[in-house]
Amino acid sequence: MRRGGPPAWGVQREYVDATGTRRRISAERLRAVEGCIRPVEDVDTAPAFVRPGAPLPNGTRTVELEGGGELPGGAALDRDAPYGYHRLVMQDGRRLAMVTSPGRCALPDALRGWGWAAQLYAVRSGQGWGVGDLGDLRAIGAWSRKLGAAMLLVNPLHAVRPGLPQESSPYFPSSRLYRNPLYLRIQDIPGAGDDEVVQEVTRDAERLRDAPIIDRNAIVPLKLRALESLWSRFGGDAGFDAYVAREGWLLERYACFCVLAERHPGSWTSWPAPYRRPEGRALRELVGRERTRVDFHRWLQWLLDAQLARAGAALPLVHDLAVGFAPDGADAWLWQDVVASNARIGAPPDDFNPAGQDWGVPPFDPGRLRAAGYAPLIATMRRMMAAGIALRIDHVMGLFRLWWVPLGAGSPGAGAYMRYPAGELLDILALESVRAGCGVIGEDLGTVESGVRSELRRRGLLSYRLAWFEARPPERYPAQALAALTTHDLPTAAGVWTGADLAEMEATLRPVSRSAELGVRRKLKRLAGVSDDAPASLVVERAYAALGRAPSRLVVATLDDASLAERRPNLPGDLARPNWSIPLPRTLEQLRRDPLPRRIAAGLNGGNHVRPQS
């Protein structure tokens, strides 16, 4: 049980960087980061965390259970108490929140084997409109299952702000609760086959399939025209009504945000005053006055959930949760009282990013998040975990600490680490994971402080092991892990082998650690067991065959590597580059025919990791 004083949080005065060097934060930087924290008005709203059999707070009369009924109070919580969000009824009449957690995340038996990691937007197919969609995801799943895959890891499908220009980064969403209509397969929506507008728009979209760069600003208006035409013919559906009722207030407010964003340019902080908060008379009147448009945005989310469910039926999905959300987006508007609006999340300097990183997303204020009963975290985890077999949490170390960069600091390196109440955050993560039967993968790359990985392992999370960073051979990777060569922010195998990634980095005139890049190539050569003049296709095939020998529970190969892409999806900090907009060099139809994906699959099927029973 934890109550009677807040868990430790606050700014770290020093930290150990990626090279093992201890860095001390100056008094000036310390004051700047601490100045981003706002005081908490009511600490009694924070929940107590009590495990079955553990002591209850003094003065507990009864425990009101989340599902109904109650348990007696006394010295300790009943050992048979169910997990959940309960209420403590105190002798003085107060009712306090209490969380009872299993403490350890679920680890489904089916979450074993290998799969592709797909940047869905980058997939090109004969049915697509110049961007990968949920129909493509379903097709990838069906193809992958035949190759022996057990799951499919997909980039964040989070919603972005409506309108133009469209945000390209999956890691800079408007909302992590809801999804991006860009991914809808228009042809799969009921009524699309005989809709004249859809047929016209489809012809316009065909020219976008071969564009060298994904043009969201051209694609989104076409999809919106088609969707509005189909919505005008929508006669209602009992499933839609049930969905709206189930999603309730959160979906209504998200839809209201979308309507307001369509009506008012710029950030919500500059909207007319009555709309700057997600509650009040003005919002209630908006729902009545703009009912049709509000329902349109709810309908889009219903369609997305339905198409996503069909994709997940083809092959279990592992979803990706971005570390934060855009400061001008729906989640920042919805949860503005618990967001530290004067700070941004980033990372300290390291070999791959010598200047550090500023990701542009605001952090949660730890004290205010706790006082809110962790409601934003609970809602987000619940929505994400309902749609897949596992959830990858980007930068999972953020449950322990985040690198805060005050607005106007001048450099990402001018920030400091803010500690969070990790024990409570992990308890909630475990509770939602067990309820959903959803495994959790923690992306624990970069600067990881001592003790974090062991705590995540004890909590049942899979670690994230990249060949680019590992000094040990794959045979010595941990079993409780996901093993991969690379991620979206790091070089592809072909990019490393051909030198194309280093050449692109140096062409940007940005700080580049040439020794780190060449060190990755040496690792790739050693992993694949090839000579310097080996073709990239052979290097990729043999590297994944070696990776498949890892005993890790999951092994992932990227579609970028399977298509010999030389450009990584994202080059952090390069605003001139078309990040998140580079299509795969091979279409989905070509990948199905190509021998390289089949050879990669054969190597992974013959690996040491345990595969699910068919």
Side-chain angles (χ1 to χ4, degrees):
M1 187 276 294
R2 292 191 290 276
R3 185 172 277 281
W9 66 71
V11 185
Q12 278 189 225
R13 297 178 179 274
E14 57 183 32
Y15 71 98
V16 177
D17 70 13
T19 67
T21 304
R22 184 169 295 277
R23 305 286 184 184
R24 187 162 183 83
I25 304 300
S26 69
E28 180 182 7
R29 283 168 59 188
L30 191 68
R31 286 192 299 271
V33 176
E34 287 178 337
C36 299
I37 303 173
R38 292 183 290 165
V40 178
E41 289 84 6
D42 188 0
V43 295
D44 282 341
T45 58
F49 284 73
V50 185
R51 299 279 175 86
L56 286 165
N58 291 333
T60 299
R61 189 172 70 221
T62 58
V63 178
E64 293 180 347
L65 299 177
E66 179 185 14
E70 64 179 31
L71 296 174
L77 181 62
D78 192 299
R79 292 187 179 277
D80 295 324
Y83 302 129
Y85 303 95
H86 310 310
R87 287 283 177 182
L88 300 170
V89 181
M90 311 304 289
Q91 297 289 354
D92 59 9
R94 290 178 300 149
R95 297 173 71 251
L96 306 176
M98 182 186 77
V99 178
T100 302
S101 170
R104 185 176 174 86
C105 293
L107 200 54
D109 288 340
L111 193 63
R112 297 175 184 271
W114 73 272
W116 302 114
Q119 297 293 314
L120 181 57
Y121 57 85
V123 175
R124 289 284 174 84
S125 75
Q127 297 297 311
W129 287 18
V131 66
D133 60 33
L134 293 173
D136 293 323
L137 187 65
R138 186 174 70 251
I140 294 169
W143 166 62
S144 302
R145 183 182 288 277
K146 292 177 181 177
L147 293 176
M151 53 85 190
L152 182 60
L153 172 61
V154 64
N155 63 276
L157 305 179
H158 304 322
V160 300
R161 279 177 61 101
L164 302 178
Q166 277 279 292
E167 174 58 49
S168 58
S169 172
Y171 294 90
F172 197 69
S174 172
S175 177
R176 299 186 297 178
L177 286 169
Y178 296 103
R179 299 186 175 95
N180 191 343
L182 176 73
Y183 293 114
L184 282 170
R185 168 67 66 85
I186 301 297
Q187 303 94 305
D188 289 351
I189 299 172
D194 59 358
D195 187 289
E196 292 183 0
V197 173
V198 171
Q199 305 313 311
E200 176 190 342
V201 170
T202 300
R203 290 191 294 271
D204 291 340
E206 288 177 352
R207 71 180 190 276
L208 298 170
R209 288 178 185 159
D210 298 324
I213 298 297
I214 299 166
D215 189 352
R216 291 174 176 83
N217 292 335
I219 298 166
V220 166
L222 294 177
K223 288 205 172 187
L224 188 60
R225 277 185 60 200
L227 289 165
E228 287 174 339
S229 179
L230 293 170
W231 168 245
S232 70
R233 302 173 58 191
F234 180 66
D237 186 283
F240 173 61
D241 295 340
Y243 175 79
V244 168
R246 184 171 63 250
E247 291 294 316
W249 185 85
L250 282 174
L251 178 59
E252 179 183 274
R253 284 303 182 263
Y254 171 73
C256 285
F257 177 90
C258 291
V259 173
L260 288 167
E262 290 173 334
R263 303 287 189 268
H264 302 283
S267 170
W268 57 266
T269 58
S270 64
W271 288 351
Y275 298 133
R276 291 178 195 166
R277 295 193 59 81
E279 69 280 322
R281 177 180 173 182
L283 265 294
R284 292 192 297 272
E285 291 176 348
L286 177 75
V287 173
R289 186 175 65 253
E290 299 276 6
R291 169 65 67 178
T292 299
R293 196 65 181 179
V294 169
D295 280 348
F296 171 69
H297 286 286
R298 292 197 272 209
W299 177 74
L300 294 180
Q301 294 303 315
W302 179 60
L303 294 175
L304 283 160
D305 276 14
Q307 291 195 5
L308 188 61
R310 288 197 291 273
L315 190 69
L317 299 176
V318 177
H319 290 284
D320 197 351
L321 177 67
V323 69
F325 40 78
D328 63 348
D331 284 2
W333 173 74
L334 183 64
W335 288 314
Q336 58 190 270
D337 291 335
V338 296
V339 169
S341 57
N342 291 326
R344 297 292 181 262
I345 301 170
D350 60 27
D351 281 347
F352 282 91
N353 295 280
Q357 299 178 61
D358 180 348
W359 301 332
V361 296
F364 282 119
D365 183 312
R368 285 178 163 264
L369 180 63
R370 185 170 183 265
Y374 299 106
L377 177 68
I378 294 167
T380 302
M381 294 297 177
R382 192 167 294 173
R383 279 281 300 163
M384 293 290 295
M385 289 180 172
I389 193 173
L391 178 66
R392 174 191 181 273
I393 299 181
D394 192 47
H395 195 70
V396 73
M397 295 87 72
L399 297 174
F400 295 80
R401 65 181 186 178
L402 283 171
W403 185 260
W404 281 28
V405 182
L407 289 181
S411 166
Y417 276 114
M418 176 69 69
R419 297 206 65 81
Y420 282 75
E424 296 186 355
L425 294 171
L426 289 167
D427 272 355
I428 285 174
L429 179 64
L431 176 54
E432 292 300 325
S433 167
V434 167
R435 281 186 160 183
C438 180
V440 182
I441 302 159
E443 190 262 307
D444 52 350
L445 306 173
T447 305
V448 184
E449 62 181 325
S450 175
V452 166
R453 283 195 171 122
S454 60
E455 176 66 6
L456 294 176
R457 183 171 59 252
R458 188 178 71 83
R459 295 286 195 148
L461 282 78
L462 300 188
S463 181
Y464 212 80
R465 298 305 170 104
L466 291 189
W468 286 179
F469 294 158
E470 291 293 317
R472 301 175 297 175
E475 291 86 348
R476 295 179 59 193
Y477 289 4
Q480 191 174 313
L482 179 152
L485 288 187
T486 186
T487 73
H488 51 264
D489 285 335
L490 295 171
T492 65
V496 168
W497 191 249
T498 63
D501 186 77
L502 179 58
E504 182 180 22
M505 293 267 285
E506 291 181 333
T508 65
L509 302 180
R510 56 185 283 144
V512 177
S513 175
R514 189 176 180 87
S515 62
E517 289 271 330
L518 295 177
V520 168
R521 192 182 193 280
R522 287 192 294 271
K523 282 187 178 181
L524 180 58
K525 179 183 177 182
R526 185 166 58 248
L527 183 69
V530 295
S531 60
D532 283 324
D533 59 353
S537 59
L538 180 64
V539 174
V540 169
E541 176 188 348
R542 291 192 176 177
Y544 277 110
L547 189 69
R549 294 195 287 272
S552 302
R553 192 178 182 105
L554 297 176
V555 177
V556 164
T558 69
L559 286 182
D560 300 85
D561 285 344
S563 58
L564 295 180
E566 293 185 347
R567 304 182 75 188
R568 60 174 96 178
N570 178 50
L571 187 56
D574 189 342
L575 302 181
R577 185 180 189 266
N579 285 333
W580 312 112
S581 299
I582 302 170
L584 293 175
R586 307 292 282 169
T587 67
L588 181 53
E589 292 81 6
Q590 288 170 331
L591 283 170
R592 286 169 172 163
R593 295 193 300 266
D594 285 355
L596 180 56
R598 292 196 296 272
R599 292 201 299 264
I600 292 172
L604 294 175
N605 283 325
N608 294 335
H609 52 282
V610 180
R611 291 179 295 281
Q613 298 298 315
S614 58

